[in-house]
Structures are given as C-alpha cells and as structure tokens.
Amino acid sequence: SGVLVCGMRLAPEAASGIATVNALAPGRTFAVIGAGNTGMRMMGLKPTGARAMREYVRVVKALLRGEEVMYAAGGPGTEAHPVRFTGLEQAHVRLDPVPEVHVAGNGPLSQAVAGDTGDGLLVAIPRGGTFVEAMANARRGAAKVGRTLPDNYHTAALVNLLMLEPGEPLTS
C-alpha cells in the first residue's frame, strides 16, 4: 500500500512492478502515482511537476495496456526510445485485466493530472482542499483534453482521525 512516487522509480520499472503484483492478484490490483510531496522532500528534493507526472502516468498506463510507447528516461523534452514488455509468455507479469492507475494529488495541478490522465484520484483532506474543490480540479483537467470523467471514476480521500476511549481526554 502507499503511493508510488514518480521521482523514485523509472516509469517502465513501475509498470513492471504493478504488472507483477497483477500476476499475483489479478483483478484486484491498482496503482496510485504521486508527485512525492512527502517522499521527495524528505530527501531534500523537489516533487515531480505536473507535466512530468502526466508523462509518467501516460507511459505506465500504455505499458500496462501492452502497448509499445516512446519513453524518455530523462523526462519530457529529452531523447525518447520505444519501450514495451517482453517475455509476457513467462507469466512474471500480467496485463489482463489491465490495472487501473490513480493519481494522488493535493494541489490543483496534480488533481488536474488525475482528471486528464488518471483512472482515479486520491486526495488528502484537508491539505488537498475540499473534496468538491479537488473534483472540480480533476474535471477541469479532464475537460482540457476533451474527456468526461466516467461514472466509475474512483475517488478516495485520506483523512485524519482520532479515536478515544469513552471519557478519555483529548490530551491523553
């Protein structure tokens, strides 16, 4: 469980990992890809920008559909090469059913990437704004590329919760 951070793993490697889990749990696998606002900053690095995250999600989704896709390991604007899965007959990875790729987004640009490219949106409340605001950003992203979010567009929110025993004070 957790969010796959773009800046910590190459997109083809991420797709391979997702497809490997899908071989173990077919039909029960999905991935959540995020910019790394926590993970990257812990290492003193900047999170992945929206443009690079969009490209990352595009590559991962194409590979999981079994397509050959142009991939630039250096990020958008660098030299790209065709990549695809090989050895599918060995059953180390599984592409059927195709795993969904959701986008974790707490800012409006990441939420727009979830709408224009992702199969779903994961947002942390309250950092990511209200759920209504997050979905508005995702819908704006979808509209920008001529997409309407489907009725089965998966959404999830991470929320903080404090559980106390009956009569237990907040300061315990």
Side-chain angles (χ1 to χ4, degrees):
S1 67
V3 174
L4 191 155
V5 177
C6 305
M8 293 189 183
R9 198 171 294 244
L10 298 174
E13 180 190 13
S16 180
I18 296 163
T20 299
V21 173
N22 198 42
L24 299 171
R28 296 178 291 159
T29 303
F30 67 92
V32 181
I33 294 174
N37 275 300
T38 302
M40 296 297 282
R41 289 185 196 278
M42 283 182 8
M43 297 184 299
L45 302 170
K46 290 184 178 181
T48 304
R51 179 176 172 225
M53 185 164 65
R54 180 177 292 109
E55 176 64 7
Y56 191 98
V57 172
R58 181 193 72 81
V59 169
V60 169
K61 287 184 68 172
L63 290 170
L64 291 175
R65 289 190 303 265
E67 299 170 8
E68 182 174 277
V69 62
M70 295 302 289
Y71 173 67
T78 63
E79 186 178 1
H81 301 277
V83 294
R84 64 182 170 83
F85 278 114
T86 59
L88 291 174
E89 71 283 351
Q90 295 175 10
H92 295 197
V93 296
R94 183 175 178 154
L95 305 180
D96 182 38
V98 176
E100 290 187 358
V101 177
H102 303 191
V103 174
N106 290 332
L109 295 178
S110 293
Q111 292 165 355
V113 171
D116 68 37
T117 310
D119 298 315
L121 169 65
L122 172 68
V123 63
I125 305 292
R127 275 190 343 199
T130 68
F131 200 75
V132 170
E133 291 166 339
M135 286 307 298
N137 291 329
R139 285 189 184 94
R140 268 194 293 282
K144 205 171 187 179
V145 297
R147 178 181 183 204
T148 301
L149 296 182
D151 290 339
N152 66 345
Y153 186 78
H154 185 88
T155 55
L158 300 174
V159 296
N160 295 318
L161 177 68
L162 174 64
M163 295 187 68
L164 300 171
E165 294 289 333
E168 183 180 355
L170 281 173
T171 57
S172 67

